[in-house]
Amino acid sequence: MTKTIIATDLAPKAVGPYSQAVRTGDLLFMAGQIPLDPQTGEVVGTDIKTQTTRVLENIRGVLSSQGLTTQNVVKCTVFLTDLGHFAAMNEVYASYFNSNPPARTTIQISKLPKAALIEIEAIAHY
């Protein structure tokens, strides 16, 4: 198995012992993204729509660093601290995946790093 570590300034730097993304074969596995500004490393916004937008822009940054788009994404896992945010998150999410959306799982969890409201991880195909 060949494993290539992906790092880009178009998304927040890893804040722990993990990679932004890893390519193996024709798949790209992206670490979960929380709504961190890539320049400051600080959480952006306090509402779910703003945070979802930042998370998806971070994912878009990793994708674009590899010559990919959201159309290459085959699976997302969305972690919300409150499923009451589902409709608002879904509205923003749909604007990024408006045709042929990937498979998706959405789960409520108790807490995320830096008190974020949302985290999304994604898998893309080259």
Side-chain angles (χ1 to χ4, degrees), residues 23-24 50 57 61 63 65 75 84 95 97 103-104 117:
R23 179 181 183 169
T24 183
T50 301
E57 285 298 316
L63 291 166
S65 79
K75 173 73 166 78
S95 72
F97 299 104
R104 184 179 83 187
L117 302 174

Side-chain angles (χ1 to χ4, degrees), residues 16-77:
Y18 64 90
S19 301
Q20 286 174 320
V22 175
R23 179 181 183 169
T24 183
D26 58 359
L27 293 175
L28 180 71
F29 295 88
M30 285 175 263
Q33 291 288 323
I34 61 173
L36 298 179
D37 179 288
Q39 301 341 301
T40 67
E42 298 298 319
V43 171
V44 172
T46 57
D47 65 281
I48 194 63
K49 286 186 174 186
T50 301
Q51 289 198 5
T52 302
T53 299
R54 180 72 262 161
V55 166
L56 291 167
E57 285 298 316
N58 292 344
I59 289 171
R60 188 181 269 172
V62 174
L63 291 166
S64 68
S65 79
Q66 299 302 296
L68 304 174
T69 71
T70 55
Q71 288 300 300
N72 294 93
V73 176
V74 296
K75 173 73 166 78
C76 285
T77 304

Side-chain angles (χ1 to χ4, degrees), residues 103-123:
R104 184 179 83 187
T105 302
T106 304
I107 329 168
Q108 179 175 312
I109 60 171
S110 63
K111 195 171 183 180
L112 286 166
K114 298 197 174 213
L117 302 174
I118 184 169
E119 180 172 354
I120 301 176
E121 64 181 25
I123 300 169

